[in-house]
Amino acid sequence: RIADFQEVLGEPTVALGKLRELCFSGIPFDGGLRCLCWKILLNYLPLEKALWSTSLQKQRDLYSQFLKEMIIQPGIAKANLGVSREDVTLEDHPLNPNPDSRWNTYFKDNEVLLQIDKDVRRLYPDMAFFQRPTDYPCLLILDPQNEFETLRRRVEQTTLKSQTVARNRSGVTNVSSPLKSTPSSLSEYEVLPNGCEAHWEVVERILFIYAKLNPGIAYVQGMNEIVGPLYYTFATDPNSEWKEHAEADTFFCFTNLMSEIRDNFIKSLDDSQCGITYKMEKVYSTLKEKDVELYLKLQEQNIKPQFFAFRWLTLLLSQEFLLPDVIRIWDSLFADDKRFDFLLLVCCAMLTLIRDQLLEGDFTLNMRLLQDYPISDVHLILKKAKELQDSK
């Protein structure tokens, strides 16, 4: 199998059809094959091999530019603003109600950042990986000469402020001693010493920059579950030259993937043809074709697809299985040329594989089964989904 991949990837122009076919059945991890294939399947790398190095260089430089504009410069501006009392007389100060005020943007960004922070600290809690330091901390940001405010410091300061200033009913502010109570979200995990950063901090930065560049959608809970497997795959690439750029590569692959699935995250589109409700209904209509008895049972118990399929579809099953299994499922999903039609069949396969239990169970039991899916053999699920696809 590895030889088959090497043959397709060795051509001057990669034959996308052939590559999809190979990837659909699972990509070997050896030699960084998966990382390379995902980058091609997610349109990050062009099919012409000769263009790879310039294309990568261009994108990685662009990402450094984003870091400078969105993390370093606001940090410097914050350090320079409000240093002296006279600053308040200038047009821009922390209480300036003007929506274009730099301070206003800064505080709004902080709200998004705190939400991201809360979510990324909990990424795959059963794995130590995201808590460990990366071998390639971002030097632009961790340079000890830096005086500016990093995302880590922004989170600490914002959290401390909200923790130490507690309002009582009469509106009087009690300032509790910050030494006595450590903010729970910060004490949950040891923050690594200066000069190091954990993998979850890298994910936080990717999501923060994505939110800044895509204000229409910004950050929605669950996006952390989409970045997690991508970043893990690139950050464990056996090829150290590529591994070093895991952050930038993940950012662009995530952006490309989100451009295909972002409609699932936008509430106003829920009922449109591209929205999540339509896709959930499609899971049920496919099930009705394939297994009408099971479909009727779920209908009769009033088990709506929203109760379980919303999470399955929106997060591309990243919460239903262990990370290595999620990655294997994603090989097939990314290789699907109809882009995620196969995901609907995987969801159907998951239902038909537990049909006997569902047919016997009552509402409560069945809800438990669907929200904590019992089968962990993803090969069995993918095989069943492929059978459903071939029987169309």
Side-chain angles (χ1 to χ4, degrees), residues 23-26 327-336 342 382:
C23 295
F24 188 80
S25 315
I327 288 169
R328 169 61 195 92
I329 291 172
W330 284 16
D331 287 345
S332 297
L333 293 185
F334 295 165
D336 172 23
F342 188 65
L382 290 167

Side-chain angles (χ1 to χ4, degrees), residues 60-88:
R60 289 163 180 175
D61 290 348
L62 178 60
Y63 188 72
S64 295
Q65 201 47 47
F66 293 156
L67 289 175
K68 287 174 190 157
E69 283 172 23
M70 285 165 223
I71 293 175
I72 295 178
Q73 280 167 17
I76 293 172
K78 169 80 191 316
N80 295 341
L81 278 166
V83 178
S84 62
R85 289 302 298 268
E86 299 85 78
D87 266 352
V88 177

Side-chain angles (χ1 to χ4, degrees), residues 166-376:
R167 281 185 175 281
N168 68 17
R169 281 197 174 154
S170 58
V172 180
T173 303
N174 302 320
V175 178
S176 61
S177 156
L179 298 171
K180 283 184 192 152
S181 60
T182 51
S184 58
S185 65
L186 294 178
S187 57
E188 215 170 304
Y189 296 115
E190 285 299 304
V191 171
L192 296 171
N194 283 340
C196 302
E197 54 180 357
H199 288 292
W200 66 261
E201 291 187 79
V202 182
V203 174
E204 174 167 88
R205 200 159 45 232
I206 292 169
L207 285 165
F208 182 72
I209 290 179
Y210 178 82
K212 288 282 289 170
L213 287 170
N214 296 276
I217 180 170
Y219 172 74
V220 180
Q221 215 173 353
M223 286 181 184
N224 53 316
E225 306 291 349
I226 304 279
V227 176
L230 282 176
Y231 174 72
Y232 174 81
T233 301
F234 295 160
T236 54
D237 190 332
N239 176 346
S240 60
E241 237 170 276
W242 290 58
K243 186 176 172 176
E244 189 180 337
H245 298 286
E247 180 175 348
D249 294 351
T250 302
F251 171 80
F252 288 108
C253 287
F254 170 67
T255 301
N256 291 354
L257 178 56
M258 280 305 296
S259 70
E260 298 186 29
I261 63 168
R262 60 179 283 168
D263 296 348
N264 296 347
F265 286 90
I266 300 175
K267 229 177 161 23
S268 57
L269 288 178
D270 278 1
D271 299 317
S272 67
Q273 279 239 328
C274 53
I276 189 72
T277 310
Y278 176 77
K279 289 176 187 142
M280 291 190 294
E281 295 302 339
K282 196 108 166 67
V283 171
Y284 264 24
S285 58
T286 312
L287 180 67
K288 190 178 178 182
E289 276 169 43
K290 307 288 181 190
D291 190 338
V292 72
E293 187 186 359
L294 179 56
Y295 167 78
L296 290 171
K297 174 75 177 182
L298 295 175
Q299 288 289 66
E300 174 199 318
Q301 291 187 347
N302 203 16
I303 293 179
K304 296 182 164 48
Q306 291 85 305
F307 299 161
F308 61 93
F310 179 80
R311 189 175 75 189
W312 291 6
L313 293 167
T314 309
L315 303 183
L316 306 181
L317 296 168
S318 61
Q319 290 246 281
E320 313 315 311
F321 302 99
L322 295 170
L323 187 58
D325 293 333
V326 171
I327 288 169
R328 169 61 195 92
I329 291 172
W330 284 16
D331 287 345
S332 297
L333 293 185
F334 295 165
D336 172 23
D337 59 343
K338 293 204 180 57
R339 273 318 192 218
F340 309 118
D341 274 11
F342 188 65
L343 177 59
L344 302 174
L345 294 171
V346 174
C347 294
C348 256
M350 287 167 68
L351 293 170
T352 54
L353 285 170
I354 54 169
R355 76 184 300 273
D356 296 349
Q357 289 144 283
L358 290 170
L359 290 172
E360 282 167 26
D362 59 10
F363 176 84
T364 315
L365 202 68
N366 286 347
M367 281 302 295
R368 201 173 301 145
L369 275 174
L370 294 168
Q371 291 187 339
D372 188 5
Y373 189 75
I375 295 177
S376 60

Side-chain angles (χ1 to χ4, degrees), residues 13 44 159-160 177 297 325:
T13 300
Y44 177 50
T159 317
L160 278 171
S177 156
K297 174 75 177 182
D325 293 333

